[in-house]
Amino acid sequence: MRRTELDLCRITACLMVLFIHTSAELYHICPLDSPAFLSLSFISTMMRGSVPVFFMLTGALFLSREKLELKSFLIRHPLRLLLLFCFWSLAYALLSRLASGSFGSLYDFVYSFVQGHYHLWFLTAMVLCCLFLPVAHAAIHGGKLPVGYLLFLFFGVSILFANFNLTPDTAPILYRITLNFSFDYLPYLGYAVWGYWLSGKDFKKSWLIIAPAVFLAVTALTTWGNIWYSNYKQVADGWLFSYFSLPSLIQATMIFCFFQALKGRDFRRPKLWAALADATLGIYLLHPMLINILQLAGLNMSLERPVLSVLGFTALLALVCALLALAGKKLPLARKLL
């Protein structure tokens, strides 16, 4: 059964990610003594809980199932995400060279393809998380995994990547692959389990007030901390921007709990929200490209009115990306790439 409150949660998290990427440039070039730095710091800090929410939603949707068909799950999720990484990494590598007017060496191109565009790290992190999700599912539900799959995780992931790390070159392509699938991403599996656990709890209507209040309080305190640290270092810095920082954990939890408190409500236009939620991956994949296109069209953000500038630019970006992603979902080939 489709859960509209989780669709709305996914859409909200997607919008917050767009805010992270649209406000980042202004945040890092804004003078620390400018009044704009306070508002930009607040916006940038407010959005950091968004990425963990996607892993929490993954846990809520898959770990809550009584059975997880291993073969089907691996094909439809980690394998699909890996193929999406390859396609979009190639696309962004080609587009960046077309924009610069220089292809460069073949080695540099291949390295750029393997490295992936800056936002594609999310796909490989989710791939790694999904590979270990069946282990968490088996542990939670008392199920069994084939020994062959456990050996695949050991030899095909752990041992293989460990040996890629032993290559003598300081920046080889094989070593770059291990960075894409670094075990540093594995703690995101904890967010998946956290999302599963929270999804089984009953949140009263009071959480519709508690969650936003705690979220804003934590955001305000974290903003102060980031501003203090930036002034200490004399450069705009995201001291507490890590997705594993305590503030980000609390923010993500409050976002998730807020929408959990909406469980069981009747929503208007549930099909629309479902379609938009299904388009969020496409929006994520497209948005850096659209940011560059909008800026080339002369639509730039300004430090004179940073809040209105970021809000307006992000709203336009979200609208264009959503329209393109929804249109792409109507086309058989494009649907598979979004």
Side-chain angles (χ1 to χ4, degrees):
M1 181 178 177
R2 191 86 188 202
R3 294 180 56 182
T4 304
E5 73 278 2
L6 296 186
D7 287 335
L8 292 171
C9 185
R10 187 180 299 277
I11 294 167
T12 301
C14 181
L15 285 172
M16 293 172 75
V17 169
L18 298 190
F19 271 108
I20 290 176
H21 292 160
T22 54
S23 64
E25 183 179 351
L26 284 185
Y27 175 78
H28 288 290
I29 67 172
C30 185
L32 300 183
D33 57 356
S34 168
F37 187 64
L38 174 61
S39 55
L40 287 171
S41 296
F42 187 79
I43 291 173
S44 296
T45 303
M46 178 185 287
M47 307 302 167
R48 296 295 153 173
S50 55
V51 171
V53 167
F54 286 106
F55 291 91
M56 294 173 71
L57 287 168
T58 297
L61 292 171
F62 292 109
L63 293 179
S64 60
R65 298 180 181 181
E66 286 299 321
K67 291 185 179 180
L68 196 65
E69 295 296 334
L70 187 60
K71 183 178 179 180
S72 175
F73 174 78
L74 293 177
I75 292 174
R76 296 181 62 183
H77 298 286
L79 180 59
R80 175 174 176 262
L81 291 172
L82 182 60
L83 294 175
L84 284 176
F85 173 84
C86 292
F87 173 82
W88 286 100
S89 183
L90 179 62
Y92 275 100
L94 288 171
L95 288 171
S96 66
R97 278 152 180 78
L98 287 173
S100 66
S102 174
F103 187 84
S105 70
L106 179 60
Y107 179 87
D108 288 341
F109 177 77
V110 174
Y111 186 87
S112 178
F113 161 68
V114 171
Q115 180 181 28
H117 197 256
Y118 72 84
H119 73 306
L120 295 179
W121 73 268
F122 173 78
L123 295 184
T124 57
M126 186 62 81
V127 167
L128 189 66
C129 183
C130 285
L131 285 176
F132 283 87
L133 204 65
V135 179
H137 186 275
I140 290 169
H141 296 281
K144 293 182 179 180
L145 280 175
V147 174
Y149 184 71
L150 296 175
L151 291 177
F152 159 72
L153 292 180
F154 178 58
F155 289 109
V157 179
S158 305
I159 297 297
L160 180 64
F161 285 178
N163 281 271
F164 280 178
N165 278 326
L166 299 177
T167 52
D169 192 350
T170 55
I173 291 175
L174 290 180
Y175 179 66
R176 180 62 243 184
I177 293 175
T178 67
L179 295 181
N180 286 344
F181 299 93
S182 170
F183 275 25
D184 289 343
Y185 292 142
L186 200 53
Y188 282 110
L189 184 64
Y191 273 119
V193 176
W194 182 229
Y196 157 75
W197 187 81
L198 289 173
S199 68
K201 302 299 176 182
D202 183 26
F203 291 91
K204 306 297 183 182
K205 291 182 179 180
S206 58
W207 276 91
L208 297 176
I209 297 175
I210 295 171
V214 173
F215 178 89
L216 289 173
V218 169
T219 300
L221 286 171
T222 309
T223 300
W224 174 85
N226 284 326
I227 292 176
W228 169 82
Y229 191 69
S230 295
N231 280 287
Y232 171 74
K233 293 192 68 176
Q234 287 300 297
V235 62
D237 194 285
W239 174 37
L240 298 171
F241 281 0
S242 167
Y243 297 132
F244 294 107
S245 69
L246 184 58
S248 294
L249 168 63
I250 296 173
Q251 287 175 323
T253 301
M254 291 304 106
I255 294 169
F256 193 84
C257 291
F258 175 84
F259 287 100
Q260 276 289 110
L262 296 174
K263 185 177 180 179
R265 292 202 173 194
D266 290 327
F267 295 93
R268 293 183 179 181
R269 302 183 181 276
K271 292 183 178 180
L272 172 62
W273 303 127
L276 284 174
D278 290 340
T280 53
L281 179 57
I283 292 171
Y284 182 81
L285 293 170
L286 288 167
H287 81 272
M289 186 189 309
L290 269 296
I291 289 176
N292 290 334
I293 292 174
L294 291 176
Q295 289 177 336
L296 287 173
L299 298 172
N300 292 300
M301 290 166 285
S302 170
L303 285 173
E304 294 181 2
R305 294 182 178 179
V307 176
L308 290 176
S309 182
V310 170
L311 286 175
F313 188 92
T314 307
L316 179 60
L317 175 67
L319 177 62
V320 174
C321 287
L323 291 175
L324 288 174
L326 288 171
K329 288 289 185 180
K330 302 292 184 180
L331 305 173
L333 179 59
R335 185 188 304 123
K336 296 180 180 180
L337 302 174
L338 297 170

